[in-house]
Amino acid sequence: KQEVTQIPAALSVPEGENLVLNCSFTDSAIYNLQWFRQDPGKGLTSLLLIQSSQREQTSGRLNASLDKSSGRSTLYIAASQPGDSATYLCAVIPPWGYNQGGKLIFGQGTELSVKP
Amino acid sequence: KAGVTQTPRYLIKTRGQQVTLSCSPISGHRSVSWYQQTPGQGLQFLFEYFSETQRNKGNFPGRFSGRQFSNSRSEMNVSTLELGDSALYLCASSPEGTGAEQYFGPGTRLTVT
């Protein structure tokens, strides 16, 4: 059974710091991995999608890497800003989901607070 | 393009009642998935519909059901509500649902009293 873990559960950093959020999964056979951001009481905003054949994806100040063999992904945020404060979630799609519908398996998230 | 929309945004129901939530996907998206988010269990997959057919289902009791219409809009229904059904219900749409990027709506906050 695929399980996704995110460490730490909460993180507080001063503005301007570069930071790394971690995501690990127990079964390396995944179809893709997606990072999301969730503001309190709101829906999820997709940040980056990494296909299983890719090693990393970049969007602005965000860079996500994927190492399937070790069951790990990291989300790197450069020059953090108070507006980055939110909960960050990673989710994987197992390979059997390819022909049976998209089923995201989520981690519990990392709550990030960036202090001015 | 308009994003995923969900109605209503907030709902208060009494234990034992039933409720119907609605989701309109991004134009052109044919796959709609539903998730339940609670503080204790996090985000859990309910089911996914593609071209009006349920293609995948999570581990929820039969009180949770859904359907999809020909215009890809989807509804989920929860019958005989229990206090534990209080949650944020999120729907996501994607072009195919087969590993494609999923886009989430703002959610419906359901409170069962």
Side-chain angles (χ1 to χ4, degrees):
Chain A
K1 179 188 171 186
Q2 177 72 271
E3 292 183 357
V4 181
T5 303
Q6 292 185 248
I7 296 173
L11 182 63
S12 181
V13 300
E15 182 178 3
E17 193 162 296
N18 301 326
L19 58 100
V20 174
L21 305 181
N22 297 297
C23 172
S24 62
F25 42 95
T26 54
D27 187 343
S28 62
I30 64 170
Y31 188 71
N32 66 21
L33 184 145
Q34 195 168 352
W35 281 93
F36 296 90
R37 165 189 174 137
Q38 185 175 33
D39 293 287
K42 303 289 179 64
L44 276 63
T45 300
S46 178
L47 297 173
L48 290 163
L49 173 75
I50 310 178
Q51 302 283 357
S52 61
S53 58
Q54 298 174 317
R55 298 281 295 181
E56 64 178 298
Q57 281 283 353
T58 298
S59 176
R61 295 182 294 109
L62 305 179
N63 176 277
S65 67
L66 175 63
D67 184 344
K68 278 184 24 176
S69 61
S70 66
R72 291 183 181 181
S73 176
T74 61
L75 179 66
Y76 175 83
I77 302 177
S80 58
Q81 304 170 357
D84 294 330
S85 298
T87 297
Y88 290 79
L89 295 139
C90 74
V92 302
I93 290 185
W96 55 263
Y98 179 74
N99 290 319
Q100 297 182 37
K103 171 185 174 178
L104 293 171
I105 301 174
F106 284 88
Q108 292 291 335
T110 293
E111 186 176 353
L112 173 66
S113 175
V114 181
K115 304 295 186 184
Chain B
K1 262 187 187 179
V4 178
T5 58
Q6 292 187 245
T7 57
R9 293 294 312 281
Y10 302 92
L11 207 50
I12 300 176
K13 288 287 188 179
T14 302
R15 194 170 42 182
Q17 288 185 316
Q18 75 167 21
V19 66
T20 299
L21 312 181
S22 180
C23 172
S24 293
I26 292 172
S27 177
H29 286 191
R30 296 165 65 193
S31 167
V32 174
S33 299
W34 288 89
Y35 295 82
Q36 180 196 65
Q37 185 176 32
T38 59
Q41 298 297 318
L43 275 151
Q44 294 184 289
F45 173 78
L46 281 156
F47 31 64
E48 188 245 4
Y49 287 87
F50 182 81
S51 294
E52 302 180 66
T53 301
Q54 186 181 85
R55 192 161 62 170
N56 203 351
K57 190 176 187 302
N59 296 323
F60 277 82
R63 299 185 298 107
F64 292 82
S65 63
R67 59 176 175 169
Q68 187 179 34
F69 302 94
S70 58
N71 61 358
S72 294
R73 188 178 70 86
S74 177
E75 289 181 346
M76 71 163 272
N77 183 275
V78 188
S79 62
T80 318
L81 284 166
E82 300 177 359
L83 296 178
D85 297 332
S86 294
L88 181 66
Y89 290 89
L90 294 161
C91 84
S93 77
S94 67
E96 289 289 330
T98 52
E101 189 167 2
Q102 296 197 28
Y103 298 87
F104 281 76
T108 294
R109 171 72 64 185
L110 171 64
T111 301
V112 182
T113 61

